[in-house]
């Protein structure tokens, strides 16, 4: 799930300017390597496509079956027994492995925590959050940043 959030949040707005961790080749290679990839050009292109598709799906602007299916071409899962437990091994083209892991993480979130992956409620923020609270009421990617700003704005409007 960390890979999913890291990928979705790899293009934040900082001081009104987009900072895309996957745009610059050096920073993109570093990002991919930090997440277990090789940072090759094919892998980075698939990661950008996966990020765009997952962003559209998470914002409710795309059908998951249509947007994510192309990322799963050539992917299959095989059962294995490891230490007496049944596990599933995902087989994907090497350049698509990270993107496939992100899509599978999205599917796991949708199954285990439906409706909990959402964009930050701050319109000036592009980040996503995974709400793990019992009440399912988290609205901001960071209470210290976006939540505090929203509350300060509301307070200012009330007292103005």
């Amino acid at each position: 799930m960390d890979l999913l959030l890291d990928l979705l949040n790899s293009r934040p707005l900082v001081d009104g300017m987009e900072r895309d961790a996957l745009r610059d080749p050096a920073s993109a290679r570093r990002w991919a390597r930090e997440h277990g990839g090789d940072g090759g050009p094919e892998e980075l292109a698939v990661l950008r496509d996966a990020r765009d598709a997952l962003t559209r799906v998470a914002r409710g602007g795309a059908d998951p079956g249509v947007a994510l299916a192309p990322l799963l071409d050539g992917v299959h899962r095989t059962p294995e027994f490891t230490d007496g437990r049944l596990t599933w091994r995902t087989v994907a083209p090497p350049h698509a492995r990270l993107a496939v892991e992100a899509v599978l993480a999205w599917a796991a979130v949708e199954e285990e925590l439906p409706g909990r992956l959402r964009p930050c409620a701050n319109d000036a923020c592009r980040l996503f959050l995974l709400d793990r609270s019992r009440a399912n009421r988290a609205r901001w990617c960071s209470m210290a940043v976006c939540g505090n700003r929203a509350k300060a704005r509301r307070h200012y409007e009330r007292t103005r």
Side-chain angles (χ1 to χ4, degrees):
M1 291 185 208
D2 290 340
L3 172 64
L4 172 63
L5 279 177
D6 287 352
L7 184 60
L8 286 170
N9 291 336
S10 65
R11 194 172 41 196
L13 289 177
V14 178
D15 297 327
M17 303 265 307
E18 180 181 84
R19 293 228 177 127
D20 187 346
L22 300 178
R23 181 181 299 151
D24 173 62
S27 67
R29 273 192 302 278
R30 184 173 41 256
W31 190 96
R33 288 179 181 150
E34 287 172 359
H35 291 84
D38 64 14
E42 270 189 297
E43 180 179 62
L44 296 175
V46 174
L47 279 170
R48 285 185 209 97
D49 291 344
R51 178 184 60 192
D52 294 345
L54 286 163
T55 297
R56 288 191 310 274
V57 168
R59 290 191 182 283
D63 177 272
V66 173
L68 302 178
L71 298 167
L72 300 176
D73 284 343
V75 175
H76 63 276
R77 296 182 96 185
T78 57
E80 293 181 343
F81 279 97
T82 307
D83 297 328
R85 289 183 39 237
L86 177 65
T87 59
W88 292 89
R89 183 172 57 93
T90 302
V91 180
H95 69 278
R97 185 184 56 79
L98 277 180
V100 168
E101 287 179 11
V103 171
L104 293 176
W106 170 84
V109 166
E110 286 300 302
E111 184 175 320
E112 297 166 19
L113 301 166
R116 300 286 183 127
L117 177 67
R118 61 179 71 110
C120 179
N122 178 357
D123 293 335
C125 179
R126 278 202 195 148
L127 300 182
F128 288 83
L129 65 121
L130 182 57
D131 184 356
R132 297 171 198 235
S133 70
R134 177 177 270 186
N136 191 21
R137 290 188 179 177
R139 297 179 55 204
W140 300 289
C141 63
S142 164
M143 188 60 198
V145 179
C146 290
N148 191 40
R149 287 180 184 158
K151 288 181 175 192
R153 248 190 320 273
R154 283 197 311 265
H155 175 73
Y156 176 76
E157 291 298 321
R158 279 194 314 266
T159 59
R160 205 168 95 184

